[in-house]
Amino acid sequence: EERYIPICENDEGKLWGPDYKMAVIGSGPAGLSCAYYLRTKGYDVTVFEAFHKAGGVMVYGIPEFRLPKSIVQNEVEKLKKMGVNFEMNFLVGRTSTVQQILTEKGFDAAFVGTGAGLPKFFGIPGENYIGVFSANEYLTRANLMKAYDAEKADTPFYSAKTVVVCGGGNVAMDAARMALRLGAEKVYVVYRRTRTEMPARAEEVEHAEEEGVEFRFLENPVEILGNDETGAVTGLKALSYELGEPDASGRRSPVAITGSEHEIPCDAVIVALGNNSNPLIPKTTPEIKVDPKGHIQVDEKQETSMTKVWAGGDIVLGAATVILAMGEGRKAAASINEYLAG
């Protein structure tokens, strides 16, 4: 049976619904999807976003040439016209905790969709040199902060002529293509397996190649080199590899070739090894259980171990895709509606 509560209009043409206040934490694809479906059921929905713009990874991570920001902004504006409220520059876990949102602010339930924004690094010498970036920071500076506009940007971009991107996923492809657009004359992608094993989508790799990105397969960095006087990157020391037996995932494991150390001159290094789930909410909300990787644990209805709290997207899945995150937001909205209206 259909148990959803439809949106209605009062005499003034304004939307109204059940007298329940819903908090959506994070305005990425999972959060926006959840907010939309909750609002269509008539709930009073407020989205809390840590940044000054809504959209999450769609505005800070995915480049303009893959996803025009006007599309994301149009969707946000539609939500606002539907009556969804947005509180920007609100960092849940610092500005207020989840528990405070449910008690002091009077919300009846909350959805956590804070994504996977904690970048991974190699842990090798030299990662603190000037000119070493996580792909997350590099793309955020370019996409969200417009750092390429040196005259207006509060955090101007780091100019580099030769850039090395370490990693083989879609984010590595985005970073490499962005580096070319930001003026790099040469961009290398260093990956410790072969093209066959790359996790990036085939078309993303092809687009990078068409634009001039050079791939260096079966190589992996062991140290980042720099100038001790200036503190800036000067190169990368890498090892060559060959493929051995398959690992637990079925991909052939790379094996270092003894004596194959070599240097790759460069003036910027972008580390694109993926991201871990955002740790702030689990650290400030011990009632929410996480797995050993920091992902929030949920049941088949996206419910967490904390009463009145649901979660979805990359904070649950780890770094995944926009469409999967949107699906989790929709599923959570249905579960929340069932809980409140049932």
Side-chain angles (χ1 to χ4, degrees), residues 93-135:
R94 288 289 182 265
T95 313
S96 293
T97 64
V98 175
Q99 189 61 46
Q100 287 173 323
I101 286 175
L102 292 173
T103 55
E104 297 173 13
K105 290 187 175 293
F107 284 87
D108 297 285
F111 172 79
V112 180
T114 48
L118 183 66
K120 299 177 184 178
F121 284 91
F122 285 105
I124 58 177
E127 282 187 313
N128 289 326
Y129 277 122
I130 299 170
V132 179
F133 301 90
S134 68

Side-chain angles (χ1 to χ4, degrees), residues 65 77 82 140 175 183 204 217 227 230 234 257 260 267 290 297 333:
F65 56 81
E77 290 303 317
M82 289 175 64
T140 299
E204 298 297 333
F217 296 113
N227 185 318
T230 63
T234 60
I257 299 173
S260 63
D267 46 10
V290 298
Q297 294 181 311

Side-chain angles (χ1 to χ4, degrees), residues 3-5 20 43 334-342:
R3 300 172 66 184
Y4 291 156
I5 302 170
Y20 287 123
Y43 297 108
S335 177
I336 293 168
N337 180 74
E338 183 179 347
Y339 170 79
L340 293 176

Side-chain angles (χ1 to χ4, degrees), residues 12-337:
E12 299 175 351
K14 294 182 179 180
L15 300 175
W16 66 277
D19 191 21
Y20 287 123
K21 290 176 63 180
M22 296 300 312
V24 173
I25 303 169
S27 67
L32 293 182
S33 175
C34 185
Y36 168 78
Y37 286 104
L38 286 172
R39 186 63 190 135
T40 61
K41 309 312 170 192
Y43 297 108
D44 182 355
V45 181
T46 298
V47 178
F48 295 94
E49 169 56 45
F51 286 161
H52 60 285
K53 285 187 179 180
V57 70
M58 295 183 291
V59 296
Y60 73 75
I62 301 176
E64 179 80 17
F65 56 81
R66 285 222 295 126
L67 176 61
K69 301 302 168 268
S70 59
I71 294 176
V72 182
Q73 189 59 38
N74 287 341
E75 296 301 316
V76 172
E77 290 303 317
K78 288 177 185 177
L79 288 176
K80 290 180 179 179
K81 289 178 180 178
M82 289 175 64
V84 175
N85 305 305
F86 284 82
E87 287 204 28
M88 313 308 292
N89 301 305
F90 194 108
L91 183 58
V92 176
R94 288 289 182 265
T95 313
S96 293
T97 64
V98 175
Q99 189 61 46
Q100 287 173 323
I101 286 175
L102 292 173
T103 55
E104 297 173 13
K105 290 187 175 293
F107 284 87
D108 297 285
F111 172 79
V112 180
T114 48
L118 183 66
K120 299 177 184 178
F121 284 91
F122 285 105
I124 58 177
E127 282 187 313
N128 289 326
Y129 277 122
I130 299 170
V132 179
F133 301 90
S134 68
N136 209 19
E137 177 188 356
Y138 191 83
L139 291 169
T140 299
R141 283 175 176 266
N143 295 326
L144 182 65
M145 302 167 74
K146 311 301 182 186
Y148 49 79
D149 189 352
E151 293 184 1
K152 297 180 181 179
D154 291 329
T155 56
F157 213 79
Y158 186 81
S159 179
K161 296 302 181 184
T162 303
V163 177
V164 174
V165 179
C166 303
N170 291 324
V171 175
M173 303 304 109
D174 286 346
R177 297 172 68 191
M178 180 64 78
L180 287 173
R181 285 164 171 77
L182 292 172
E185 297 173 357
K186 193 69 178 178
V187 177
Y188 299 105
V189 169
V190 171
Y191 182 60
R192 63 177 185 160
R193 290 183 170 92
T194 69
R195 179 170 180 155
T196 303
E197 289 80 28
M198 289 186 79
R201 297 167 63 211
E203 53 264 46
E204 298 297 333
V205 179
E206 291 170 4
H207 292 159
E209 285 182 324
E210 289 171 357
E211 292 179 5
V213 175
E214 183 176 324
F215 287 82
R216 300 179 66 121
F217 296 113
L218 294 170
E219 294 183 349
N220 207 43
V222 292
E223 182 181 355
I224 297 172
L225 308 173
N227 185 318
D228 291 333
E229 292 184 5
T230 63
V233 170
T234 60
L236 193 73
K237 184 183 289 184
L239 281 177
S240 296
Y241 284 73
E242 58 187 1
L243 292 183
E245 296 300 317
D247 59 15
S249 67
R251 293 191 299 172
R252 293 175 65 189
S253 301
V255 179
I257 299 173
T258 304
S260 63
E261 276 191 2
H262 57 280
E263 295 183 8
I264 306 172
C266 64
D267 46 10
V269 175
I270 302 172
V271 181
L273 301 179
N275 295 309
N276 290 317
S277 295
N278 193 311
L280 183 56
I281 286 181
K283 282 185 176 180
T284 57
T285 317
E287 299 94 330
I288 296 178
K289 293 182 179 178
V290 298
D291 66 15
K293 293 185 177 180
H295 305 149
I296 291 179
Q297 294 181 311
V298 297
D299 64 12
E300 67 280 358
K301 293 185 176 182
Q302 306 297 134
E303 290 187 64
T304 73
S305 56
M306 183 176 179
T307 305
K308 299 182 180 180
V309 179
W310 285 252
D314 288 1
I315 189 70
V316 171
L317 301 170
T321 63
V322 168
I323 195 65
L324 284 175
M326 291 178 67
E328 293 223 321
R330 178 175 184 171
K331 186 164 66 170
S335 177
I336 293 168
N337 180 74

